[in-house]
Amino acid sequence: MTDAYDAIILGAGAAGLMCAARAGQRGKRVLVLEKAEKPGKKILISGGGRCNFTNLGAGPANYLSANPHFAKSALARYTPQDFIELVDSYGIAWHEKTLGQLFCDGPAQQIVDMLLAECAKGAVEVRCNAEVTAVEHDAGRFAVMASGQIATADKLVIATGGPSIPKMGATGYAYGLARQFGLKVVEPRPALVPLTLGGEEVLFREISGVSAPVVATANKASFAEAALFTHRGLSGPAILQASSYWRPGDPVTVDFLPARAPGWLLDAKRENPRATLKSLLREALADRLADILAEKIGLAVELGNASDKALQAAEEQLRRWTFHPNGSEGFAKAEVTVGGISTAELSSKTMESNKIPGLYAIGEAVDVTGWLGGYNFQWAWASAVAAGDAL
Ligand code: FDA
């Protein structure tokens, strides 16, 4: 049996559903094929079940891509405010948690229900348990094989996301399909992912559960948020953010006392010469972390007995503590994927392939990756609208 549509969208995730709704509401006959038993599974687990659906400050600077300009057009044409208006029109209550991050007050299911309602308004057909296994392109028409059924359309949208969290069924299907059509793929790697420590740094694994407000830096990208020590190494928002910029072999530097003005240890020596580095660190950080840092720096004497040079060196060490992660926790724990279908292959206005008319790619499948904090969903919505309005 062959079904004919104007557009077939592969993947009923954030981007696929949004794109389908827009195209359907413009009168297009749209089919969405989803391999899972229900749509929007990543939305459901996102933001700890409350879906951090956008970020008030989302702009091109919050995204990684081989072409940092690519995301500008779509992000400018569908803004966080546009998505908030949609959420509000469904009466979904939300709040700003921190740093412009907007979360649902209730369960993330509300966002999935909203997207499905938008799809229903456009008479979109969402078919679950339909894993796409083959796509053929002949005489300008795409034929898609999914779970034994074939559907055809003039337009095909790749919205199958990235390989982060394979346990949930995530795959790199988008990349194989893109390559089949001759599109380049920027090497995918795990991002927003905990980093692991080995060697001498296993010491820090002993303080699993301890966190601290830090500035973490990898490859010149710095993030002022919390770092968390884990039984495998480093996590917490500051480290997850930095991990997107980190590559194997790179150091990650951590400023453990970002609020302290330069020279604070010399000031402390004058004001409180009987204090020790350890006692001062214990005032600012969790005891177990303070003890490890003080021990590693090795300045055991009272400040009054320490040379200014030694204190300056200790301060510098605390400002630029250098970790040498021996790896990351990989796609199994990565919240997103950096890399993907090269933006050089796509129109930034419509997300259509420059080489294959009628072929589109949106969402996480594309080489545009947001920071932690609602930016990835904003890209999913914005890229989906760009394509959905052009199909
Ligand atoms: P998405 O992965 O959502 O959807 C792709 C769909 O395609 C899936 O439903 C998949 O089953 C389907 N598919 C794959 N292969 C297929 C095939 N061969 N045939 C048919 N269907 C196929 N972001 C954010 O902004 N705020 C947040 O709070 C969070 N929180 C969060 C938590 C966790 C644990 C994770 C793992 C991720 C987040 N994210 C996030 C990231 C966010 O979930 C992600 O960027 C978007 O879901 C990407 O949307 P897409 O639609 O591109 O892919």
Side-chain angles (χ1 to χ4, degrees):
M1 187 182 93
T2 304
D3 294 336
Y5 295 86
D6 293 323
I8 300 174
I9 296 176
L10 311 187
L17 290 173
M18 185 67 155
C19 181
R22 294 291 284 217
Q25 289 179 24
R26 287 177 45 249
K28 303 289 171 187
R29 196 162 171 240
V30 181
L31 170 68
V32 184
L33 294 170
E34 168 56 52
K35 75 172 191 163
E37 70 291 357
K38 59 182 181 185
K41 279 174 90 174
K42 270 196 187 164
I43 300 175
L44 295 178
I45 59 156
S46 68
R50 297 262 184 262
C51 187
N52 178 193
F53 56 78
T54 192
N55 191 297
L56 290 174
N62 308 113
Y63 294 85
L64 293 85
S65 172
N67 176 3
H69 302 293
F70 180 82
K72 278 183 184 167
S73 169
L75 290 171
R77 284 178 296 135
Y78 192 82
T79 64
Q81 203 52 46
D82 291 322
F83 194 76
I84 291 168
E85 276 168 27
L86 181 62
V87 167
D88 285 346
S89 74
Y90 279 79
I92 298 172
W94 53 268
H95 60 280
E96 179 181 350
K97 197 165 169 190
T98 173
L99 302 171
Q101 302 169 5
L102 304 191
F103 286 75
C104 295
D105 290 356
Q109 181 71 50
Q110 293 173 301
I111 298 292
V112 176
D113 291 345
M114 175 189 84
L115 293 169
L116 290 176
E118 285 291 294
C119 282
K121 273 188 204 169
V124 171
E125 185 183 337
V126 180
R127 205 180 285 168
C128 293
N129 295 308
E131 176 166 13
V132 177
T133 45
V135 176
E136 280 169 23
H137 187 219
D138 190 27
R141 222 163 149 81
F142 295 91
V144 180
M145 165 77 83
S147 301
Q149 286 184 304
I150 296 173
T152 64
D154 290 338
K155 309 281 173 84
L156 183 78
V157 182
I158 304 174
T160 51
S164 304
I165 322 272
K167 220 168 60 187
M168 289 188 59
T171 66
Y173 184 77
Y175 312 144
L177 192 54
R179 289 192 185 105
Q180 176 192 326
F181 284 103
L183 310 191
K184 284 195 206 71
V185 173
V186 176
E187 183 209 350
R189 41 190 186 89
L192 301 180
V193 64
L195 300 175
T196 55
L197 296 176
E200 282 184 9
E201 292 173 336
V202 292
L203 187 64
F204 286 95
R205 297 185 351 198
E206 287 164 19
I207 57 168
S208 163
V210 168
S211 68
V214 303
V215 174
T217 304
N219 273 321
K220 297 189 185 146
S222 295
F223 296 91
E225 286 183 71
L228 171 72
F229 293 92
T230 72
H231 66 288
R232 297 193 63 187
L234 298 167
S235 188
I239 300 297
L240 296 178
Q241 300 276 34
S243 76
S244 300
Y245 293 82
W246 179 85
R247 285 172 181 273
D250 288 344
V252 171
T253 54
V254 170
D255 182 349
F256 277 109
L257 295 167
R260 296 290 166 98
W264 69 272
L265 252 183
L266 292 179
D267 292 345
K269 174 181 175 179
R270 268 189 301 278
E271 286 156 22
N272 193 359
R274 311 256 355 237
T276 60
L277 180 62
K278 188 167 163 172
S279 68
L280 286 181
L281 289 178
R282 277 181 163 227
E283 283 170 20
L285 299 166
D287 288 357
R288 290 190 297 155
L289 173 59
D291 294 355
I292 288 189
L293 296 177
E295 189 185 317
K296 291 280 252 179
I297 292 172
L299 194 76
V301 294
E302 291 178 352
L303 297 185
N305 294 325
S307 68
D308 286 2
K309 203 170 151 206
L311 292 176
Q312 275 162 343
E315 198 182 302
E316 182 61 16
Q317 210 173 332
L318 288 163
R319 180 167 297 122
R320 274 187 253 283
W321 198 279
T322 307
F323 288 101
H324 301 277
N326 61 3
S328 81
E329 294 196 30
F331 284 116
K333 291 285 165 63
E335 206 166 294
V336 285
T337 307
V338 160
I341 299 172
S342 170
T343 58
E345 305 282 3
L346 305 173
S347 153
S348 62
K349 302 267 178 304
T350 63
M351 306 293 139
E352 187 176 12
S353 158
N354 302 320
K355 283 188 193 133
I356 315 282
L359 179 67
Y360 297 72
I362 57 174
E364 196 177 324
V366 177
D367 173 33
V368 174
T369 308
W371 289 359
L372 183 77
Y375 301 99
N376 283 296
F377 279 137
Q378 188 56 37
W379 169 247
W381 317 135
S383 59
V385 167
D389 288 354
L391 286 174

